Amino acid sequence: MQVADLYVRVSTDEQTKGYSPRSQEAVLRQYCQLRNITVRQVFVEDYTAKHFNRPEWRKIMIILRKQRNRTDLLLFTKWDRFSRNTSDAYQMIDVLKKLGVEPQAVEQPLDLTVPENKMMLAIYLTAPEIENDRRGLNTKAGIRQAKKEGRYMGKAPRGYINKAYEDGRRYITLHEPDATIMRWVFNEVGEGLYSSESIMKQANKKGLNIDKNTFLINLRNPVYCGKIRVAAHNDEPAYLVQGLHEPLISESLFYKVQDIMDGRSKILKGLAIATPKDLPLRNFIKCNRCPRMLTGSASKGKTTYRVYYHCRSSCGVRYRAEDVNNAFMDELTTFIPRPGYPELFVASIAEAYGNQHRAIKEESDELILQISTANKKVDAARELLILNELEPSEYRKIKEENSSIIARLEMRLNEVNVQKSTHVNIKKLAEMAVRALCELDKLYDISSIEAKRYLVGILFPDKITYAEGACRTLKLNRGAELIYLENKALRAQKKGQKPLKKSLPHTGSVAVRNSNHFVDELIELGSFSKILKA
């Protein structure tokens, strides 16, 4: 009497709750009863047949290898229950034969010892594979078309939730409180003050509960600014379309975050949000023996704890936190403008920025020229493609690269055009900044730990060095630097000399960017007190 193992398979877990598994098992048992075949075990699978890396199938192979010659047949209803991959199916049939097991579909029986039956086997195996491939192509085409029309397909990213209309069409909409937290995340990363990892930890404390990999993927997702990415396909390059969903953030903020993550923006990054109150300068002080930044910690003495700034490496650099903090306070007092000069500083800055404002039009013209040049490159590549002088793959690469360049240039052009029509009260900003600098040491002394680190970050972008009991820095905030340069120049100026020529560096399109950064830095200098504790 022959012995058989029965194999029942459906594609999904939901189908196991339906009638199909019981129906297949009933057909197989009836087949065995009519032919006097003993049923040994029944295996029920809820997995795809595109490959044999299936949980139940792995269990079957382990049993068959351990218990050789105890099973004669492996029965299933149809060959598509066995496999929907022709090449894998032939290999598995050979493996089973070597184990002394004959696979057989009871509703599509074949005597595989007859050579001609191999042709029928190929038909039985190939037809389901073709059906699978066609269904897959149709599904992919439908998903691609839906994306082109601005619909988000797939599981909603954090901050959104999947919903469906009455007609079955799916869409995504904002989901609180995750949406508010993700908006906060983008704003914090865009500020450039803290590392993405420390921002992620704070977001998780707020209730986001996200892992690092998903967090970084979300920061790259254009869905948050209202865009849908359509992937490259055949000769069509990847591109972005306007989505139908509500954007969580602005496009300018999204691309600002991308620049920060790609390292295209010079920002203050790598700082931890949570810092002990006795270590406001942690990760701001350069080690003078190695390239690392000094961290900080407390060590227990006989009766109390002592706090130190120290290097993580084996170079041995270590300073008492109290000494470094006091030296930094002394250094701050040297940057306080001399009494009587704030009005002159404000007038100087206002005049310099006014002279520089014409550079906005120069950058606008330069951006238009760059966009035109990029479009001409794409047009030239298209001509070469038509003349068969350029491979399609090379053309796609050129078009994709230039499309990305054009998108960024157009975004920047829109910002510049907005600046043309925006009036900045530079005098008021300068007054705020100078007022803050006049009370620099006092403001720093009464600030919270967060405000202290914020001030250090915006005032000293190139970090601080500590040696021989004193703190030094090589580069200042651009707004503060101009004020202090003017301060020194005014001290050296003799009576009767002509006033100094006041202008910011002028190098075409760079000038407006410098001017815009300068204004941003003045705003930061003048408004950092907003994060002081009341």
Side-chain angles (χ1 to χ4, degrees):
M1 181 181 293
Q2 288 183 308
V3 178
D5 287 333
L6 309 184
Y7 181 65
V8 175
R9 189 192 67 78
V10 289
S11 298
T12 63
D13 179 58
E14 287 78 9
Q15 289 177 317
T16 59
K17 302 172 184 176
Y19 296 103
S20 180
R22 298 196 295 275
S23 173
Q24 291 180 50
E25 184 176 350
V27 169
L28 293 172
R29 287 188 179 278
Q30 185 179 11
Y31 177 87
C32 293
Q33 185 178 0
L34 292 174
R35 287 160 179 77
N36 200 24
I37 298 172
T38 301
V39 176
R40 190 168 73 118
Q41 294 185 76
V42 178
F43 299 92
V44 180
E45 185 91 79
D46 55 345
Y47 216 79
T48 178
K50 292 180 180 179
H51 51 75
F52 282 99
N53 188 20
R54 318 170 202 162
E56 285 297 311
W57 188 265
R58 291 197 299 268
K59 188 187 299 183
I60 291 172
M61 297 308 297
I62 292 172
I63 293 173
L64 292 179
R65 287 190 174 98
K66 287 184 177 180
Q67 303 175 5
R68 283 175 177 266
N69 301 320
R70 293 190 184 181
T71 300
D72 303 304
L73 299 169
L74 180 64
L75 301 179
F76 35 86
T77 55
K78 294 182 180 180
W79 284 102
D80 63 350
R81 301 295 176 184
F82 175 67
S83 177
R84 285 178 177 256
N85 186 310
T86 307
S87 59
D88 286 356
Y90 279 119
Q91 292 178 11
M92 186 55 67
I93 289 171
D94 288 338
V95 171
L96 291 171
K97 284 183 177 179
K98 291 176 182 178
L99 295 173
V101 180
E102 179 188 349
Q104 189 61 259
V106 300
E107 294 181 1
Q108 297 171 333
L110 289 174
D111 183 359
L112 298 180
T113 61
V114 179
E116 286 76 14
N117 282 345
K118 292 181 179 180
M119 185 177 296
M120 287 301 300
L121 176 62
I123 294 173
Y124 286 144
L125 292 173
T126 306
E129 185 176 5
I130 293 172
E131 180 188 356
N132 253 13
D133 292 346
R134 173 49 58 190
R135 189 185 296 117
L137 287 175
N138 291 342
T139 301
K140 288 178 181 177
I143 291 174
R144 185 173 180 81
Q145 184 58 39
K147 287 182 176 180
K148 288 181 177 180
E149 294 175 4
R151 289 175 55 201
Y152 183 82
M153 307 300 292
K155 185 179 179 181
R158 198 62 63 93
Y160 288 92
I161 189 172
N162 292 101
K163 289 192 176 182
Y165 295 109
E166 292 182 358
D167 60 3
R169 289 182 298 117
R170 300 180 67 82
Y171 67 99
I172 60 171
T173 186
L174 295 179
H175 178 59
E176 296 295 350
D178 287 355
T180 299
I181 298 174
M182 285 303 300
R183 189 181 292 111
W184 174 85
V185 164
F186 274 97
N187 285 327
E188 287 298 311
V189 175
E191 287 291 330
L193 291 174
Y194 306 116
S195 66
S196 58
E197 187 171 355
S198 63
I199 292 172
M200 181 194 72
K201 290 178 180 177
Q202 289 297 110
N204 284 336
K205 287 181 181 179
K206 291 174 179 285
L208 192 62
N209 296 325
I210 193 171
D211 61 88
K212 185 175 181 179
N213 187 53
T214 306
F215 180 77
L216 295 176
I217 291 173
N218 282 346
L219 289 179
R220 296 286 193 181
N221 196 340
V223 168
Y224 290 101
C225 69
K227 299 291 185 179
I228 302 293
R229 186 179 187 274
V230 181
H233 181 67
N234 295 335
D235 293 336
E236 189 177 7
Y239 59 96
L240 297 176
V241 300
Q242 185 62 46
L244 300 176
H245 61 282
E246 181 183 351
L248 187 69
I249 59 173
S250 65
E251 280 189 60
S252 59
L253 176 57
F254 177 77
Y255 284 113
K256 184 178 181 181
V257 169
Q258 304 316 299
D259 288 341
I260 289 173
M261 296 183 69
D262 291 336
R264 286 190 291 267
S265 291
K266 290 184 179 180
I267 47 88
L268 306 168
K269 58 184 177 180
L271 310 181
I273 291 179
T275 305
K277 64 178 182 179
D278 294 326
L279 297 169
L281 302 177
R282 188 168 72 175
N283 290 329
F284 279 114
I285 306 174
K286 296 179 181 178
C287 178
N288 52 19
R289 295 185 187 175
C290 73
R292 293 174 180 263
M293 305 301 296
L294 298 189
T295 185
S297 61
S299 62
K300 188 175 182 181
K302 291 182 179 180
T303 58
T304 185
Y305 283 91
R306 290 189 176 181
V307 185
Y308 294 91
Y309 291 106
H310 59 85
C311 188
R312 292 186 180 91
S313 70
S314 59
C315 66
V317 169
R318 187 185 189 199
Y319 305 115
R320 286 189 62 182
E322 185 180 0
D323 295 339
V324 178
N325 293 339
N326 290 337
F328 181 73
M329 283 290 292
D330 292 339
E331 180 68 9
L332 283 182
T333 59
T334 65
F335 292 108
I336 298 174
R338 294 177 64 189
Y341 285 104
E343 294 80 5
L344 293 176
F345 298 156
V346 171
S348 175
I349 292 169
E351 185 179 345
Y353 185 77
N355 293 338
Q356 200 60 273
H357 193 65
R358 65 179 180 274
I360 293 177
K361 185 177 185 307
E362 293 178 7
E363 183 179 10
S364 176
D365 295 340
E366 183 180 342
L367 288 168
I368 292 172
L369 179 61
Q370 291 178 5
I371 292 171
S372 176
T373 301
N375 282 320
K376 287 178 181 178
K377 287 181 181 179
V378 176
D379 293 339
R382 187 182 295 112
E383 291 294 329
L384 293 174
L385 178 66
I386 294 172
L387 298 173
N388 293 323
E389 295 180 9
L390 187 68
E391 292 293 328
S393 60
E394 290 296 322
Y395 169 72
R396 286 196 298 271
K397 183 178 179 181
I398 293 171
K399 185 174 181 181
E400 188 171 350
E401 289 176 353
N402 284 279
S403 296
S404 176
I405 292 171
I406 291 169
R408 290 184 180 277
L409 290 174
E410 288 179 342
M411 183 195 72
R412 178 60 190 159
L413 181 61
N414 290 334
E415 292 177 353
V416 172
N417 288 336
V418 169
Q419 290 168 0
K420 285 183 180 179
S421 58
T422 302
H423 175 69
V424 177
N425 191 341
I426 192 68
K427 185 176 180 180
K428 183 177 180 181
L429 293 179
E431 287 173 348
M432 291 170 60
V434 172
R435 193 181 307 121
L437 292 172
C438 287
E439 301 177 344
L440 193 58
D441 56 337
K442 295 178 183 177
L443 287 174
Y444 181 83
D445 189 44
I446 66 172
S447 297
S448 64
I449 184 66
E450 292 82 5
K452 286 180 179 179
R453 291 178 62 79
Y454 183 83
L455 173 60
V456 176
I458 62 174
L459 197 57
F460 306 110
D462 274 8
K463 311 301 182 184
I464 303 161
T465 59
Y466 177 80
E468 299 178 356
C471 289
R472 295 289 183 268
T473 185
L474 296 177
K475 184 179 179 182
L476 286 174
N477 169 287
R478 182 69 184 92
E481 185 181 39
L482 181 62
I483 291 173
Y484 296 137
L485 285 175
E486 290 290 338
N487 188 39
K488 292 177 182 178
L490 287 168
R491 288 185 186 185
Q493 188 178 356
K494 295 180 180 179
K495 252 184 177 180
Q497 286 185 331
K498 291 182 179 179
L500 295 167
K501 183 179 180 180
K502 306 174 183 68
S503 65
L504 296 172
H506 185 276
T507 54
S509 65
V510 176
V512 68
R513 284 194 288 272
N514 286 342
S515 298
N516 295 332
H517 294 327
F518 173 69
V519 172
D520 291 340
E521 288 161 344
L522 282 179
I523 293 172
E524 288 178 326
L525 284 171
S527 61
F528 77 89
S529 58
K530 67 184 178 182
I531 59 174
L532 294 176
K533 286 187 176 179

